Amino acid sequence: MVSFTYYGHACFLLDDGQHKVICDPFLTGNPKAAVKMEDVEADYILISHAHGDHLGDAPEIAARTGAALVGIPEVLGLCEERVPGLKQFPMNLGGSLTLPFGKVRMTLAQHSSGVPGGVACGYVIYIGGLKIYFAGDTALFTDMQLIGKKDDLDYAILPVGDNYTMGLEDAALAAQLLNARHVIPVHYNTWPVINQDVRHYKEITEALTPAEVHIVEPGATLKM
């Protein structure tokens, strides 16, 4: 059993009962944060790109908890500048990394990276017998179909806020391309510019695809 706990914006925790994997821990300064940076526990921290609302508190959480950072080398370089000596697993697009909880595979994302020389990414996370795709920040792109073809996805965690990422309609098409059994929308309603009617997203995605859409409020936990 894997639990998904949503901390707000694009930050969430995956917990298989033995390992805690947190993604994009933007908590300090996040008006929707459901937990304080000081209270987060983690064994691994996955970072999709270097924008402040995704890199967030990653170096400080890693320093306090001993968690290892996973990300693009240029992004991890920023973490090293802030807190030297952190445990790191640098990766790049298309690469896979075996870790004690399972495996992560780094995927393409269509988005700016927030650091010179870097690229934005997503991840397929193999944990607790599940395959969970975290898109990071991205536009819709047709190669999402390849991601779903390579991995029989149980869950897709997709941004739906529009303006900086896909909006509702494009994220519904992304769910169709990925062919995941379940979808969790994130990256919405943090600020007015990305306010969305997420229940409408659930309606259009479930009408377009066989997927079940789970709306998880900040602070809530979904048993996967």
Side-chain angles (χ1 to χ4, degrees), residues 76-94:
L76 297 186
L78 292 180
C79 295
E80 181 70 16
E81 289 177 10
R82 279 167 51 177
V83 183
L86 298 173
K87 187 175 182 180
Q88 298 186 358
F89 290 102
M91 299 181 67
N92 220 307
L93 301 179

Side-chain angles (χ1 to χ4, degrees), residues 34-54:
V35 67
K36 293 181 179 179
M37 181 268 288
E38 295 81 6
D39 297 329
V40 168
E41 295 299 327
D43 300 301
Y44 297 92
I45 302 171
L46 275 55
I47 307 168
S48 67
H49 62 294
H51 290 153
D53 61 326
H54 293 265

Side-chain angles (χ1 to χ4, degrees), residues 5 33 40 68 76 79 117 126 132 153 175 212 223:
T5 300
V40 168
L76 297 186
C79 295
Y126 304 68
I132 302 165
L153 298 173
E212 180 180 3
K223 298 296 184 181

Side-chain angles (χ1 to χ4, degrees), residues 83-213:
V83 183
L86 298 173
K87 187 175 182 180
Q88 298 186 358
F89 290 102
M91 299 181 67
N92 220 307
L93 301 179
S96 296
L97 174 68
T98 298
L99 294 168
F101 63 82
K103 187 172 75 170
V104 295
R105 185 166 66 84
M106 184 175 279
T107 63
L108 177 69
Q110 294 286 4
H111 191 71
S112 56
S113 70
V115 59
V119 294
C121 72
Y123 295 93
V124 177
I125 306 164
Y126 304 68
I127 183 171
L130 298 176
K131 296 177 183 177
I132 302 165
Y133 171 56
F134 172 44
D137 275 9
T138 190
L140 175 68
F141 57 99
T142 57
D143 280 356
M144 285 180 172
Q145 190 169 7
L146 295 178
I147 295 172
K149 185 175 182 179
K150 180 174 174 61
D151 288 302
D152 185 18
L153 298 173
D154 296 289
Y155 284 82
I157 301 167
L158 304 178
V160 302
D162 213 344
N163 195 78
Y164 297 112
T165 69
M166 300 183 289
L168 302 186
E169 292 78 12
D170 281 4
L173 289 172
Q176 184 182 49
L177 291 174
L178 291 160
N179 198 32
R181 283 180 278 278
H182 303 269
V183 175
I184 302 173
V186 297
H187 204 280
Y188 64 93
N189 292 1
T190 313
W191 302 285
V193 71
I194 57 170
N195 280 354
Q196 294 292 332
D197 179 357
V198 73
R199 297 196 180 278
H200 181 56
Y201 176 70
K202 177 179 173 68
E203 292 171 359
I204 61 177
T205 301
E206 292 183 345
L208 185 66
T209 77
E212 180 180 3
V213 176

